[in-house]
Amino acid sequence: MSGSNSHASPDPWRSASSAQTDEPDDRARRLQRRVEREHAARHEAERLLESKSLELFAANQRLIQLNADLEERVEARTRQVDDARKAAIKLGETDHLTAIANRFHYSEQLEWSLSRARYTGRTTGLLLVDLDGFKLVNDTFGHSHGDQLLIAIAERLKSVAGKDDFVARIGGDEFAIILDRPDVQSVTEAAERFADVFARALTIHGVTINPSGSLGLAISPENCSNAVDLQRFADLALYKSKKDGVGGVILFETAFLQAYEYRQRMEAEFRCALAEDRIDLAYQPIIDLMTGEVEAVEALARWTDSRGAEISPAYFIPLAEQCGIIRGVGRSLLEKALLETRDWIDGGRIDRVSFNVSPLELLDDQFAEAVLATLGKVGVDPHFLLLEITEGAMIQNLALVEQVMDRLRRAGVRFALDDYGCGYSDLSMLRKLPISVLKIDRSLLVDAENDRAARVILRNVVSLCRKLGIRSISEGAETKAQLEFLRSIRCDSVQGFAVGLPAPVEDVERSLRGRRPR
Amino acid sequence: MKGLVFTTFYAHCEDVYGVEMLDDIIEDADLPNKGAYTSVGTYPFQEMVALITALVRRTGLPLAQVLEAFGRFCFGKWVAYVPAHFKDKDLFDIMSGIDDFHEHEVRKLYPDAELPSFKVESRDERTLVLRYISCKPLADLAAGVIRGAAAHLGETIEIKHRPVADGTEAYVRFEFTRLA
């Protein structure tokens, strides 16, 4: 079909309808039919609307039910997510081994406790607890025992803690307890109770372990008001407790901070002095009692700090040990000692040079090679070196020490057991270890003058050495009478103020100059 | 078929041919419900066929002309129903948007309605080609709707349409050309 717009005219078709008849009956019939049609349509519409209403009502009911179901599911899912979130938070705040709070949670809790205390006016104590000898437990019995020990200690700490106390594991063998109390006295009393954690022995996998711990306490606001300082001060108190090893709780004192700052300064200065080769050596003669001649010298470290104060080796050697540089110090000073005494050795003016070794050095499996390398570098025969050791290293790991000593002994280096008679003085050491020289502690000689027992012991130790082929040297001789006594008991050698003070290398050089070779 | 088409058809018959003519074709069509339709109902398409057939017989007019007139009437109703949809629109835009109109304005009221589809085949300024796809043979009615739209917008167009069966689908190809 095609075409343009057009309109049909209605009029012709109106006339085409049969309704144009005006017969009344027909009109009535038509009207009747229209009315019936309208009624029927209206009823049909009503029926459909009613049916649609019912349909909508049912649909609405289904929607309400669906909505309720959805709400329930959303609620359940929200609960699940919330539980999972809480579990994740809990997991993130918990130490996996001991199931108490971890370091992260502890840090948050400490901040929170301090801010709360600022409003409540209460007192906050921070007690740090560190297990003593934990490494030894791990090394001796294995990590399983170590882990069980930590779990047991954590349980004991929890059992001592009050309901408001917060217990956390903040390091390998370190715990922290945050105490919230009305005053200082109640904090210290509460802290003291935690020392009881170490009062009873533990049995772990059939092994009885006597736990030991150090406890340091700092209190806010008495000592400080912020978490960083409180932690630092509690750490210093703990350090003091560990150093003193007396057990019980050590409460922070300002003096600890001063000591710490002094130590920090000394450490920095010592490191600097070492780097600039300002650690000197003095040499103390060791005299052959039979001939009265110098048979050897002992090298002794000397250090003068930036303020001109002479610092005792009894201070700076442990300092070097604590800050982990003792090995470097030992190697550097050994090289220096060998360089300074090489001519005396080469000239036959002394039989040997004695050099003190830290227990930590002996526990280094690289130590033997380092000593031999230094001897090789300086050009001194190992037979002329006598290393003085103490019992400390042997107690920690005898097997390793034996191994290190054996390697050096086979190369020709000799050993002296130092300070014998004041510690354990374990006779088995003389049997097990390659000891050539026994240095008898000065305390025995000092007591010998008025104490018969001391004299008997000294005589018998010297006799024992002779029989074992070990050379005996008595330390700390200060009087002629002591020298006479030592000669009478046939002690081989002597060292002390009575026969020679430690002196700088130049002085010793002068005194040895012109001596005939021994 | 939706009852709305029947009630619109009745209105169109009354308006164009008179109420008596409507009475007559209802009588002639011999409908099962005696011609009682409601806009919200759904009725067999065959009943509409019977009514249109009766109208064609009574009037003696060609079927195409009857359907086209009804189409124009339908467009007038739609404009009255949703005037905004057709306001300030271009004729080709309206025709291209018939499917959208069905989906947005018709489907929301009659979700199960069987609606025809108009797909644009090509378009330029002057000519628009659409494919009319429907399960009912009412292409002339569609042409009437388009004429109604053109008249509403004051445009004069030429309409050509022919059935096409290309093997994959059967449709009626509409080509509209603007004459002025």
Side-chain angles (χ1 to χ4, degrees):
Chain A
M1 182 197 102
S2 65
S4 55
N5 294 5
S6 64
H7 294 279
S9 170
D11 293 336
W13 315 117
R14 287 182 188 274
S15 57
S17 166
S18 58
Q20 295 308 308
T21 56
D22 291 330
E23 290 172 24
D25 285 353
D26 186 55
R27 287 190 62 81
R29 192 171 50 83
R30 280 173 180 277
L31 285 172
Q32 179 64 30
R33 280 213 304 269
R34 279 179 211 158
V35 169
E36 284 170 4
R37 203 163 62 227
E38 293 295 326
H39 279 183
R42 203 182 72 210
H43 286 142
E44 169 73 354
E46 285 170 356
R47 189 189 63 76
L48 284 170
L49 287 173
E50 196 172 313
S51 146
K52 189 56 83 180
S53 290
L54 289 170
E55 205 176 292
L56 286 173
F57 179 77
N60 193 40
Q61 289 298 103
R62 284 198 299 278
L63 282 175
I64 289 168
Q65 183 58 46
L66 184 67
N67 190 44
D69 290 350
L70 280 174
E71 276 181 5
E72 198 175 307
R73 282 170 58 189
V74 166
E75 203 175 309
R77 185 72 190 132
T78 306
R79 228 178 5 251
Q80 271 178 10
V81 169
D82 198 44
D83 288 349
R85 189 180 61 84
K86 283 178 183 162
I89 290 171
K90 179 83 179 156
L91 198 66
E93 290 178 339
T94 304
D95 172 52
H96 295 178
L97 178 66
T98 59
I100 60 175
N102 62 13
R103 187 178 188 90
F104 169 74
H105 193 191
Y106 152 78
S107 301
E108 285 192 336
Q109 181 69 30
L110 185 59
E111 292 282 0
W112 187 81
S113 295
L114 288 172
S115 30
R116 189 184 54 177
R118 276 194 278 276
Y119 291 101
T120 58
R122 285 167 71 87
T123 302
T124 305
L126 175 59
L127 178 67
L128 297 182
V129 179
D130 191 280
L131 297 191
D132 298 332
F134 178 67
K135 186 176 181 302
L136 196 62
V137 172
N138 270 339
D139 292 347
T140 311
F141 304 114
H143 285 268
S144 164
H145 284 73
D147 287 351
Q148 288 305 314
L149 175 62
L150 290 169
I151 292 168
I153 294 297
E155 280 170 3
R156 285 188 176 182
L157 290 170
K158 285 289 280 183
S159 69
V160 173
K163 68 178 173 58
D164 294 329
D165 297 340
F166 180 87
V167 181
R169 179 177 172 224
I170 60 171
D173 59 351
E174 196 173 340
F175 297 87
I177 299 109
I178 302 170
L179 302 159
D180 174 62
R181 294 291 186 283
D183 51 42
V184 172
Q185 193 186 339
S186 48
V187 167
T188 49
E189 282 170 6
E192 290 291 349
R193 283 198 288 278
F194 284 94
D196 294 343
V197 162
F198 301 103
R200 287 171 290 121
L202 284 159
T203 303
I204 294 169
H205 301 324
V207 175
T208 301
I209 294 173
N210 285 296
S212 164
S214 304
L215 299 90
L217 175 67
I219 297 173
S220 174
E222 269 57 34
N223 301 138
C224 59
S225 57
N226 67 74
V228 174
D229 284 344
L230 192 63
Q231 164 84 47
R232 197 157 65 98
F233 294 170
D235 256 333
L236 289 173
L238 177 66
Y239 174 75
K240 174 76 173 160
S241 169
K242 211 161 188 60
K243 194 171 142 203
D244 293 355
V246 291
V249 177
I250 296 287
L251 179 60
F252 171 76
E253 294 170 24
T254 316
F256 298 171
L257 188 58
Q258 289 158 354
Y260 172 75
E261 284 167 352
Y262 174 74
R263 187 182 171 283
Q264 291 295 99
R265 182 173 71 79
M266 294 308 276
E267 183 185 327
E269 276 206 28
F270 184 76
R271 283 176 186 272
C272 189
L274 183 67
E276 293 171 357
D277 193 25
R278 286 191 285 103
I279 311 296
D280 294 323
L281 288 167
Y283 296 93
Q284 186 171 28
I286 295 166
I287 308 296
D288 182 334
L289 271 171
M290 294 300 287
T291 64
E293 290 184 351
V294 175
E295 64 175 31
V297 291
E298 180 181 353
L300 298 163
R302 291 289 182 265
W303 174 41
T304 304
D305 75 2
S306 62
R307 298 176 187 186
E310 281 190 14
I311 309 298
S312 166
Y315 180 83
F316 68 78
I317 294 298
L319 179 72
E321 286 175 342
Q322 285 157 20
C323 60
I325 56 170
I326 189 64
R327 289 169 187 169
V329 172
R331 285 173 201 184
S332 163
L333 291 182
L334 176 62
E335 184 174 340
K336 190 172 204 171
L338 292 172
L339 280 169
E340 289 180 344
T341 60
R342 184 175 56 193
D343 287 351
W344 309 338
I345 292 166
D346 289 349
R349 283 175 283 174
I350 57 171
D351 289 345
R352 63 185 185 272
V353 57
S354 283
F355 190 82
N356 290 282
V357 175
S358 158
L360 291 181
E361 290 179 277
L362 272 183
L363 293 167
D364 173 13
D365 56 7
Q366 304 294 309
F367 176 69
E369 297 311 318
V371 168
L372 295 177
T374 306
L375 282 162
K377 180 180 169 190
V378 179
V380 171
D381 188 297
H383 291 90
F384 294 108
L385 178 64
L386 181 81
L387 295 178
E388 295 192 9
I389 62 172
T390 56
E391 289 176 308
M394 272 71 90
I395 291 166
Q396 287 189 46
N397 191 340
L398 183 61
L400 178 59
V401 171
E402 278 181 316
Q403 205 180 323
V404 170
M405 287 176 75
D406 189 55
R407 170 76 186 98
L408 287 166
R409 183 194 59 79
R410 280 189 281 113
V413 175
R414 286 175 292 169
F415 290 93
L417 190 57
D418 204 4
D419 301 333
Y420 194 79
C422 71
Y424 290 103
S425 304
D426 185 350
L427 287 172
S428 70
M429 294 296 167
L430 300 178
R431 189 162 50 84
K432 288 178 184 168
L433 301 175
I435 300 295
S436 310
V437 174
L438 189 74
K439 295 189 78 174
I440 303 163
D441 190 71
R442 67 184 295 277
S443 60
L444 270 179
L445 186 60
V446 170
D447 292 347
E449 202 167 355
N450 301 311
D451 183 350
R452 184 177 167 272
R455 287 196 296 274
V456 169
I457 292 169
L458 200 51
R459 180 178 286 115
N460 280 287
V461 169
V462 168
S463 170
L464 181 68
C465 285
R466 196 162 47 247
K467 285 169 186 166
L468 290 172
I470 295 172
R471 193 166 181 81
S472 56
I473 301 177
S474 184
E475 295 178 302
E478 292 178 1
T479 65
K480 284 187 177 175
Q482 286 172 336
L483 291 176
E484 283 308 312
F485 173 69
L486 291 171
R487 273 194 200 98
S488 74
I489 62 169
R490 296 173 63 198
C491 182
D492 294 319
S493 311
V494 67
Q495 188 177 355
F497 293 175
V499 292
L501 294 169
V505 62
E506 300 81 11
D507 295 358
V508 179
E509 171 70 34
R510 266 195 302 277
S511 69
L512 291 176
R513 194 175 299 152
R515 268 195 60 184
R516 286 174 304 159
R518 280 171 54 82
Chain B
M1 181 171 256
K2 289 288 133 193
L4 181 67
V5 184
F6 286 85
T7 55
T8 305
F9 181 71
Y10 278 12
H12 166 65
C13 283
E14 273 191 41
D15 186 45
V16 177
Y17 309 104
V19 70
E20 284 77 14
M21 176 64 87
L22 179 61
D23 288 341
D24 289 344
I25 62 169
I26 289 169
E27 190 87 355
D28 295 349
D30 190 23
L31 300 165
N33 57 358
K34 306 290 184 197
Y37 295 105
T38 168
S39 63
V40 293
T42 304
Y43 307 94
F45 176 60
Q46 282 311 316
E47 294 180 18
M48 176 56 75
V49 173
L51 284 165
I52 291 172
T53 305
L55 181 62
V56 167
R57 282 197 186 130
R58 282 273 176 181
T59 59
L61 289 170
L63 174 64
Q65 195 176 333
V66 167
L67 286 174
E68 205 177 301
F70 179 40
R72 279 198 304 274
F73 185 84
C74 285
F75 182 80
K77 287 286 179 192
W78 296 347
V79 171
Y81 179 59
V82 277
H85 190 86
F86 300 99
K87 193 167 189 301
D88 301 328
K89 289 275 178 71
D90 175 80
L91 177 64
F92 284 5
D93 284 345
I94 289 173
M95 289 191 286
S96 306
I98 290 173
D99 279 4
D100 277 351
F101 177 77
H102 283 160
E103 285 307 314
H104 291 115
E105 301 298 336
V106 182
R107 192 68 76 189
K108 66 186 177 188
L109 287 174
Y110 306 101
D112 56 343
E114 291 174 334
L115 298 166
S117 171
F118 291 86
K119 297 197 184 311
V120 178
E121 205 172 271
S122 65
R123 175 177 173 173
D124 58 30
E125 274 299 305
R126 202 165 162 265
T127 309
L128 174 69
V129 179
L130 293 179
R131 283 185 182 193
Y132 167 79
I133 303 158
S134 173
C135 57
K136 301 178 181 72
L138 297 174
D140 291 312
L141 186 129
V145 171
I146 305 302
R147 287 195 194 284
H152 174 74
L153 297 168
E155 291 206 38
T156 307
I157 57 166
E158 179 187 63
I159 301 176
K160 291 178 185 168
H161 64 88
R162 61 181 170 81
V164 177
D166 64 5
T168 54
E169 68 176 339
Y171 60 91
V172 177
R173 185 175 184 279
F174 273 91
E175 186 179 321
F176 307 99
T177 308
R178 283 186 164 118
L179 297 178

